[in-house]
Amino acid sequence: MGETVAVESSTGEFIAWAAFSPISQISGRVWSWEQNVPMSSELLKDRIKESIDAREQLRNSGITNAFRLINGESDGLPGLIVDQYADVLVVQILSAGAEYWKNEIIKILVEISGKSMIYERSDVEVRKLEGLEPRVGILSGTEIPDQIEILENGIKYLVGIKEGQKTGFYLDQRANRLMVRDYAKDKEVLDCFSFSGGFTLNALMGGAKKVTSIDSSGNALKMIGRNLEINIFDSSIVELIEEDVFSQLRTFRDSRRSFDLIILDPPKFAPTKKQVERATRGYKDINLLAFKLLNPGGVLFTFSCSGGMDTTLFQKVVAGAALDAKVEATILNRMGQDVDHPVSLSFPEGTYLKGLTCRIK
Ligand code: SAH
């Protein structure tokens, strides 16, 4: 499983070298399109180096010390995700091919990144589709702290790399979090699906009058509490609500609460195309409620990270929600995943995060 095989056309012409996944629906993941460049440690090393080099601008910008170093297929390394949090790397191995080369990958990562602490977070559902067991634990180094402090655009965050969501933080939303600051001054803000407070803290940094943050995970809200503390933000203007967003928005509607700025950053409702229809109803519902809760002139930052829903459909859903909420809205910005989550032109499926900033009249 995961061995390199030559993919050939029906007439026997060479197409690519690929990693073989006998169990997955995607039975081959391409390592190389060139017959004279088969899969090897050298190729792996070149690709890893190229990925890390491609983040040079972000790394040297002073914006952050946390970023995605390797973004799977789009970096020519299918099934491999590597995120850096200060001095620690967190790795996710998602395909049989990446699993096959795992030891080599770790060796090369230590050598090229100069980081010796590497933690594995291969505890994701998609591994099942490849016939791989979940796995977490130290891959390199002896002791790795449970929580790592990072700095992004002047805000500190504690990132729990060993448990919880993703590899600990939503790095893909970096630029969008920053943009929220510009719209927050003196505003009453509602951050839905707040997790550890990325948008909440940026709204505060932007001078929000008050921020209400909702997440169904008590742990996530505790993390916001700690992040408020380490940044010395005034926690008296932050209200944390542990609740299901769908029902909390209804509670707000019934009690006639309103906001100037609302952020909707839900989890994936539609990981694949099959779930799109059900997911569409979910997106429509929260966007409709959010439009209703906005004060005149209010702004909505709304996102979908569902790979199964494309940009056009997402915009249609948001438009339908505005129509049903009886508000007139315009699009101010279109947003996507940040620069360390590139999308290869030959792998458009790598586009998953899309967002709209809408302003109502
Ligand atoms: N905005 C965050 C990331 C959000 S991830 C950031 O920038 O860091 C999605 C979050 O939604 C998770 O924290 C998860 O706990 C929460 N969540 C999932 N379903 C929910 C629901 N129905 N109601 C409230 N929160 C939910």
Side-chain angles (χ1 to χ4, degrees):
M1 205 158 87
E3 293 90 349
T4 307
V5 293
V7 182
E8 293 177 352
S9 71
S10 56
T11 53
E13 282 159 276
F14 173 86
I15 296 174
W17 295 108
F20 182 46
S21 297
I23 294 168
S24 170
Q25 267 190 359
I26 304 170
S27 49
R29 290 172 195 261
V30 172
W31 289 125
S32 161
W33 298 100
E34 290 169 63
Q35 190 161 20
N36 58 355
V37 187
M39 183 53 174
S40 65
S41 312
E42 286 71 45
L43 182 75
L44 207 49
K45 196 166 172 177
D46 287 352
R47 293 273 167 81
I48 292 177
K49 185 166 183 319
E50 165 64 23
S51 295
I52 294 181
D53 287 351
R55 273 71 178 177
E56 196 183 356
Q57 184 268 340
L58 181 61
R59 201 169 31 247
N60 294 340
S61 66
I63 287 175
T64 183
N65 61 356
F67 26 73
R68 177 149 294 188
L69 285 183
I70 298 176
N71 192 36
E73 272 80 356
S74 291
D75 282 309
L77 293 162
L80 179 64
I81 301 292
V82 181
D83 289 340
Q84 177 176 346
Y85 296 107
D87 285 327
V88 177
L89 303 187
V90 183
V91 169
Q92 284 188 327
I93 307 268
L94 309 175
S95 68
E99 181 79 21
Y100 184 87
W101 289 92
K102 180 168 149 183
N103 292 340
E104 202 65 23
I105 289 170
I106 303 311
K107 221 166 72 192
I108 297 170
L109 274 176
V110 172
E111 185 189 322
I112 297 186
S113 71
K115 306 289 176 204
S116 57
M117 286 188 273
I118 305 187
Y119 195 79
E120 177 167 20
R121 279 297 305 278
S122 303
D123 51 340
V124 271
E125 281 291 307
V126 290
R127 266 175 76 95
K128 275 194 199 148
L129 306 175
E130 294 275 318
L132 303 168
E133 296 289 315
R135 190 168 296 140
V136 294
I138 294 177
L139 290 172
S140 164
T142 42
E143 267 179 51
I144 299 183
D146 295 347
Q147 299 224 320
I148 294 164
E149 187 178 304
I150 61 157
L151 182 68
E152 180 195 282
N153 285 311
I155 298 179
K156 295 180 210 160
Y157 300 88
L158 284 172
V159 178
I161 57 158
K162 294 190 182 169
E163 54 185 39
Q165 303 166 23
K166 285 217 173 191
T167 60
F169 199 61
Y170 289 81
L171 294 166
D172 51 356
Q173 286 282 24
R174 182 187 306 107
N176 308 327
R177 280 195 278 275
L178 181 64
M179 205 180 333
V180 158
R181 271 188 215 181
D182 297 340
Y183 292 87
K185 182 114 189 87
D186 299 326
K187 299 289 193 254
E188 173 103 22
V189 182
L190 175 63
D191 179 10
C192 300
F193 309 95
S194 57
F195 187 49
S196 60
F199 287 102
T200 296
L201 295 166
N202 277 278
L204 290 170
M205 197 76 159
K209 185 163 70 186
K210 183 172 179 206
V211 185
T212 304
S213 317
I214 314 171
D215 202 288
S216 54
S217 151
N219 249 345
L221 297 179
K222 275 191 204 126
M223 288 171 83
I224 301 189
R226 284 199 292 272
N227 286 336
L228 289 171
E229 246 170 63
I230 59 172
N231 288 285
I232 329 177
F233 277 127
D234 177 4
S235 58
S236 71
I237 55 167
V238 182
E239 184 186 0
L240 302 178
I241 302 178
E242 185 179 337
E243 203 27 280
D244 171 45
V245 165
F246 291 83
S247 67
Q248 186 61 41
L249 293 182
R250 288 185 163 74
T251 307
F252 283 152
R253 179 197 60 194
D254 297 343
S255 61
R256 302 198 175 274
R257 214 145 138 213
S258 64
F259 301 88
D260 306 309
L261 171 61
I262 299 181
I263 297 118
L264 290 178
D265 184 23
K268 280 200 273 265
F269 292 154
T272 66
K273 289 246 187 265
K274 269 193 222 147
Q275 295 111 316
V276 166
E277 206 181 295
R278 228 186 108 235
T280 301
R281 286 198 288 274
Y283 287 111
K284 169 90 180 279
D285 192 32
I286 51 174
N287 280 280
L288 195 161
L289 287 161
F291 276 128
K292 283 193 169 167
L293 296 179
L294 276 177
N295 292 322
V299 172
L300 171 67
F301 275 69
T302 180
F303 297 96
S304 159
C305 59
S306 295
M309 175 179 260
D310 65 27
T311 310
T312 315
L313 176 59
F314 182 58
Q315 184 174 324
K316 274 191 192 147
V317 172
V318 175
L323 191 71
D324 287 3
K326 300 191 173 61
V327 297
E328 260 188 74
T330 54
I331 297 172
L332 306 182
N333 300 299
R334 293 171 185 282
M335 297 168 284
Q337 56 222 51
D338 208 355
V339 292
D340 49 343
H341 295 62
V343 179
S344 167
L345 283 171
S346 60
F347 184 66
E349 297 87 344
T351 312
Y352 64 95
L353 182 64
K354 52 251 155 230
L356 297 170
T357 312
C358 297
R359 183 182 182 279
I360 65 163
K361 289 209 170 140

